[in-house]
Every structure is written in structure tokens, then in C-alpha cells.
Amino acid sequence: MSIWYAHRHISPLHFRESPKCERLPLHLADPGHIDAAVGRSTRYLFIRRMFDIAFVLASAPASVLLVGVAAAAVAVTMGRPVFLAQERVGYRGRTFRALKLRSMCTSDGTPRPTSQDDDRITPLGAYLRQSHLDELPQLWNVLVGHMSLIGPRPEWVPLARRYECAFPEYKLRYCAPPGLTGLAQVKQGYVSTIDEVQVKVEYDLYYILNISVAMDFKILLLTSKTLFNSALSR
């Protein structure tokens, strides 16, 4: 059964919640349909790439100032290193080094996902993560083409390899450029358990099948709402 038929005609019970949950069940994920959806979006992705560059350049003065202040706070409260360059899996499975402000104490290097109440997160780190300031250096990754503003979040290589073994469909996320924010982020937030990772993949695959101006605009609005609510909660 094709994804397109399933998406339009399968009973809502098969989607666990409803068709409006914006998730693609993994048993319906077809590599051919995913690749075809990206192929139809080639022109739009090129235009979006131009927008990504323009946005990063226009926001550079403000973002550099914010990163500088945050970096100074990290240096004072946690010492060095201030920035982390983590190997992550990006478009078409290619790896790149994603920049990030350090928000946790140094660990033993054992790969494990970060949970909401992770004891490695410092008080300043919790603030940086809640406000997403820790990810602001990744605008550089957007500028040089490793990432887009919107897309599936790139995962740390050791965790990505683990998830690829757990879900063969996980690799389908690599069909679209990774992003600073995405459908899974605004709908789900941080994940730590394997069941939560499966839900994230379902959100990501639904997004890839439906890449469009309307979808990206909706994600930007939801991201802005999330950041605004985070600011109010502090």
C-alpha cells in the first residue's frame, strides 16, 4: 500500500491519534516516496537556501552579540571549553561538526541522550537550553550549508548509529537537510527514550513528505511561540 493512499484513506486508528497528529507511522515509510517528495521540492529547497543565507547575514550583529555574552557566562561559570564541536549526521548521511555552547559538565564520553532532568546540565546550561541560546552558534553551520533553519534535527553520530540499528527507517531522515528547528522539536521537544525517538522519526518523515512554504511557515510560528513562552516562564 502506498504512503499516499494510506495518508488519505487509512482509518485514523492506524495513526494512533488522528491524521492531524502530523506523524507518519514507520510501517508506512517507503524510501521511494520519501525520495520522490524531496525531488519535487528541489526548487523550493534552493530558494529556501537563499533565505537561510540572507537570514543568517541579517541577524549576524544580534546573534554574535548574544553568543558573545553567553560564551562569557559559560567561561566564568564552567570554564573551558566554552564551545563544543560535535560530530553529527546531516544531509544524505554526511557527517559535519555542529557548533554549540557548552551547557553540561564534562562527561566520561559515554554516548547517551540528554534527558530533561539530566544531572550533567548546569544551572546556566539549563537556562541556555531552555532559551535555545546554546544552539545559536549553529547559525554558522546554516551559513556554510551544513544545515538549514528548518529540518530534522541532526543527531550526534554515536546516538544516530544506535537509532539506525533500532529503526531502519531512521536513515530516511537524511533525505532532507537537517535544521535548527523542525516539526518534531515544536511538537515534542527533547527526547531521551527509544519510544520518544520513534515518535520523533515519525514527525520528521511526515515533514519530509510535506515540505512546503506553508509547512515551514507553520514551524517558524510554532518555534516563535515556544521561545516566547520560554521567555515568559523565566
Side-chain angles (χ1 to χ4, degrees):
M1 182 184 297
S2 75
I3 287 178
W4 303 112
Y5 180 89
H7 181 64
R8 291 173 179 159
H9 299 286
I10 274 186
S11 163
L13 293 176
H14 287 72
F15 284 85
R16 301 181 187 171
E17 300 173 21
S18 74
K20 295 183 179 180
C21 70
E22 298 184 325
R23 286 160 49 190
L24 177 69
L26 296 188
H27 68 278
L28 296 178
D30 183 297
H33 286 120
I34 296 285
D35 209 44
V38 175
R40 287 191 297 271
S41 305
T42 301
R43 180 178 297 180
Y44 170 62
L45 291 175
F46 175 78
I47 296 172
R48 195 178 72 176
R49 173 66 186 144
M50 298 300 103
F51 175 80
D52 287 345
I53 294 172
F55 178 87
V56 173
L57 293 178
S59 63
S63 60
V64 168
L65 177 61
L66 286 173
V67 170
V69 172
V74 171
V76 169
T77 60
M78 287 186 273
R80 296 185 178 183
V82 173
F83 294 95
L84 297 178
Q86 225 178 39
E87 285 286 332
R88 300 200 182 190
V89 184
Y91 186 49
R92 298 298 183 187
R94 293 189 290 267
T95 59
F96 68 96
R97 297 177 71 82
L99 300 177
K100 192 173 184 179
L101 284 166
R102 185 158 71 93
S103 60
M104 298 188 292
C105 299
T106 54
S107 66
D108 57 6
T110 303
R112 61 186 173 105
T114 307
S115 60
Q116 193 68 30
D117 299 317
D118 200 306
D119 57 8
R120 296 171 296 172
I121 301 175
T122 67
L124 174 63
Y127 172 82
L128 294 176
R129 293 172 69 86
Q130 185 181 13
S131 62
H132 298 280
L133 284 173
D134 62 322
E135 296 169 353
L136 207 53
Q138 289 171 24
L139 286 173
W140 171 256
N141 293 110
V142 174
L143 182 64
V144 299
H146 297 148
M147 297 172 61
S148 177
L149 291 175
I150 303 172
R153 284 292 294 160
E155 189 57 82
W156 186 29
V157 171
L159 291 179
R161 301 307 180 220
R162 181 186 300 177
Y163 299 150
E164 289 168 10
C165 293
F167 312 111
E169 300 86 357
Y170 189 87
K171 290 184 179 181
L172 295 176
R173 301 172 73 249
Y174 307 149
C175 290
L180 273 177
T181 185
L183 185 62
Q185 278 61 51
V186 298
K187 291 284 189 176
Q188 187 184 22
Y190 288 108
V191 302
S192 56
T193 69
I194 200 69
D195 289 336
E196 291 172 341
V197 172
Q198 178 177 337
V199 172
K200 179 177 77 170
V201 175
E202 292 178 349
Y203 277 125
D204 288 336
L205 296 185
Y206 180 92
Y207 168 76
I208 294 172
L209 279 176
N210 295 276
I211 293 177
S212 65
V213 176
M215 174 66 79
D216 283 352
F217 184 68
K218 174 182 177 180
I219 292 172
L220 284 177
L221 287 179
L222 291 173
T223 300
S224 300
K225 180 181 177 182
T226 299
L227 293 175
F228 181 73
N229 289 339
S230 295
L232 288 181
S233 67
R234 294 193 297 273

